[in-house]
């Protein structure tokens, strides 16, 4: 989407019915193109919510402050044309998403969308810069944990989302796991991203522009729970189990051998093995983990070979 050529959209102020093109102030936050893409997918599925009015100001007011303005394709707008534009105070992402959506609707022979807006009135000498900065300062975007909670509440019967919501690290659960670690534990892959969680909150089940695929990946709750259980039994602390390189070593074993053998290796870990993976500060060390897991694998293979030979001899 970085090279997207946007078509101008019409902004319609609901009270006055005045229509103008969108203008963007140079100091406003940079538009996140991934978020625009997410909004486009949502709008294709749900349509544009008319109640979600953007906030605008007449571009002429920017002349007095000397604020450079740019059009939807980041071309500078000369002051003599300001009368044709509204400055977007809040709603940059939605406006660009509508531009892309309108192309989609036009190809389908459907009516294009005008972006509904409310015109802001500056008070007591307030400037455009002050108003826009205040919006960005006071607005707190949802974190991935917020989106996970939203998705889990929307899809209450999904075991993976329930498990993630239970175990993810948050302010209320500081001993929880990062999302990336949970993905490795329960999906043995990159799993769910923040973008995936946003799409799930919009009620979408598939993603992909050309080839659609399920948003929620294949997962195994039993294996994930068993990994955590065996790590705790071995003596690893919660913060250590949350390290991505510990589950990565486990996943490497089950990929090259089998999940059963990987669990045998994990179940063979003693307190001395754990100590061998710590550094001088008594913290789990990534390089030491990698080296010692090779020792653990060879030891378990030797043990299993000896057991087989013993059975054959008997």
């Amino acid at each position: 989407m970085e090279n997207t050529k946007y078509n101008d959209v019409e902004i319609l102020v609901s009270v006055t019915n005045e229509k103008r093109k969108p203008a963007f102030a140079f100091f406003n936050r940079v538009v996140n193109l991934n978020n625009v893409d997410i909004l486009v997918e949502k709008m294709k599925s749900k349509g544009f919510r008319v109640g979600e009015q953007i906030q605008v100001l007449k571009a002429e007011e920017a002349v007095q402050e000397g604020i450079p303005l740019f059009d939807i394709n980041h071309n500078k707008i000369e002051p003599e044309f300001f009368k044709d534009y509204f400055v977007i105070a809040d709603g940059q992402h939605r406006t660009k998403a509508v531009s892309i959506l309108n192309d989609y609707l036009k190809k389908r022979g459907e009516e294009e969308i005008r972006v509904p807006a409310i015109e802001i009135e500056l008070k007591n000498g307030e400037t455009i810069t002050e108003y826009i900065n205040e919006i960005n300062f006071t607005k707190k975007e949802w974190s991935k944990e917020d989106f996970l909670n939203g998705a889990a509440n929307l899809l209450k019967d999904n075991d993976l989302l329930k498990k993630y919501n239970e175990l993810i690290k948050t302010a209320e659960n500081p001993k929880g796991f990062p999302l990336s670690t949970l993905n490795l534990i329960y999906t043995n892959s990159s799993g769910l991203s923040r973008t995936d969680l946003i799409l799930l909150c919009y009620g979408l089940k598939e993603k992909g522009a050309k080839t659609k695929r399920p948003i929620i990946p294949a997962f195994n709750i039993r294996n994930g729970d068993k990994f955590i259980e065996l790590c705790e039994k071995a003596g690893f602390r919660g913060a250590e189990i949350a390290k991505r390189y510990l589950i990565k070593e486990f996943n490497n074993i089950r990929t090259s051998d089998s999940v059963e053998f990987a669990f045998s290796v994990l179940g063979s870990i003693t307190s001395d093995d754990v100590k061998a993976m710590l550094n001088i500060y008594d913290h789990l060390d990534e390089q030491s983990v990698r080296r010692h897991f090779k020792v653990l694998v060879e030891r378990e293979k030797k043990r299993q070979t000896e057991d087989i030979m013993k059975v054959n001899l008997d």
Side-chain angles (χ1 to χ4, degrees):
M1 280 185 56
E2 290 183 4
N3 299 317
T4 298
K5 176 72 167 62
Y6 298 96
N7 292 321
D8 260 319
V9 299
E10 275 194 343
I11 295 175
L12 175 65
V13 172
S14 54
V15 175
T16 62
N17 278 332
E18 185 175 2
K19 304 167 193 172
R20 295 191 181 195
K21 293 182 286 187
F24 300 77
F26 83 99
F27 59 82
N28 206 347
R29 64 177 178 166
V30 176
V31 171
N32 185 318
L33 299 180
N34 287 330
N35 288 348
V36 172
D37 199 21
I38 290 169
L39 285 171
V40 172
E41 289 301 311
K42 170 203 153 186
M43 290 176 184
K44 284 181 180 178
S45 173
K46 305 287 187 181
F48 187 93
R49 300 184 194 278
V50 179
E52 294 180 348
Q53 299 183 95
I54 70 170
Q55 297 181 33
V56 300
L57 303 102
K58 283 188 169 66
E60 297 93 303
E61 298 188 39
V63 174
Q64 300 174 8
E65 298 179 38
I67 298 173
L69 298 181
F70 299 88
D71 67 16
I72 199 167
N73 287 301
H74 206 69
N75 300 308
K76 189 173 181 180
I77 305 169
E78 297 302 326
E80 58 263 35
F81 299 112
F82 279 13
K83 59 180 173 36
D84 298 323
Y85 292 86
F86 282 122
V87 181
I88 299 175
D90 182 52
Q92 295 185 110
H93 293 82
R94 279 170 286 168
T95 300
K96 289 204 169 186
V98 168
S99 176
I100 297 171
L101 182 67
N102 278 345
D103 280 343
Y104 170 79
L105 294 175
K106 188 175 181 180
K107 290 174 184 176
R108 292 167 62 94
E110 298 179 27
E111 186 178 354
E112 296 179 33
I113 294 171
R114 290 183 176 130
V115 183
I118 182 170
E119 187 176 350
I120 301 305
E121 185 179 341
L122 299 175
K123 300 285 188 178
N124 302 321
E126 185 179 31
T127 66
I128 293 175
T129 306
E130 286 174 330
Y131 187 86
I132 293 178
N133 282 344
E134 184 177 336
I135 287 175
N136 288 319
F137 177 74
T138 57
K139 181 183 288 185
K140 181 181 181 297
E141 293 186 353
W142 268 21
S143 66
K144 59 179 175 293
E145 293 80 17
D146 294 322
F147 283 112
L148 172 59
N149 186 47
N153 278 285
L154 185 64
L155 303 171
K156 296 182 186 297
D157 294 330
N158 186 273
D159 291 335
L160 183 67
L161 293 176
K162 283 194 289 187
K163 181 62 68 172
Y164 277 24
N165 208 26
E166 172 191 338
L167 296 180
I168 196 164
K169 185 176 182 178
T170 62
E172 292 76 26
N173 183 25
K175 295 183 179 180
F177 297 85
L179 179 62
S180 58
T181 303
L182 289 173
N183 283 326
L184 290 171
I185 292 175
Y186 288 98
T187 74
N188 190 19
S189 70
S190 56
L192 290 168
S193 67
R194 180 178 181 273
T195 299
D196 292 334
L197 295 172
I198 294 172
L199 293 175
L200 289 174
C201 284
Y202 284 146
L204 302 178
K205 295 182 179 179
E206 294 181 320
K207 64 180 179 179
K210 295 181 179 178
T211 305
K212 294 293 183 183
R213 60 191 186 278
I215 295 173
I216 297 178
F219 60 89
N220 192 308
I221 300 298
R222 186 192 70 84
N223 284 350
D225 286 348
K226 189 173 181 180
F227 169 80
I228 295 173
E229 178 189 340
L230 288 177
C231 283
E232 290 174 341
K233 187 176 179 180
F236 289 109
R237 292 166 291 199
E240 293 167 345
I241 303 172
K243 298 293 185 184
R244 295 175 74 244
Y245 47 82
L246 189 61
I247 179 61
K248 276 187 172 182
E249 289 304 312
F250 174 83
N251 286 343
N252 287 340
I253 298 170
R254 69 172 175 176
T255 299
S256 59
D257 291 276
S258 68
V259 68
E260 291 79 13
F261 179 73
F263 280 130
S264 294
V265 172
L266 202 61
S268 73
I269 295 176
T270 66
S271 58
D272 287 337
D273 291 320
V274 174
K275 289 177 183 177
M277 291 183 254
L278 303 179
N279 59 25
I280 59 174
Y281 304 106
D282 199 35
H283 295 151
L284 203 63
D285 178 73
E286 183 173 1
Q287 295 304 319
S288 298
V289 168
R290 289 178 178 175
R291 284 194 300 268
H292 200 70
F293 258 77
K294 292 179 181 178
V295 174
L296 295 172
V297 168
E298 291 306 314
R299 188 177 73 191
E300 183 60 18
K301 284 183 176 179
K302 182 180 178 182
R303 186 195 67 78
Q304 291 191 7
T305 300
E306 290 174 348
D307 286 349
I308 292 171
M309 290 176 63
K310 184 177 179 181
V311 170
N312 290 338
L313 288 173
D314 291 343

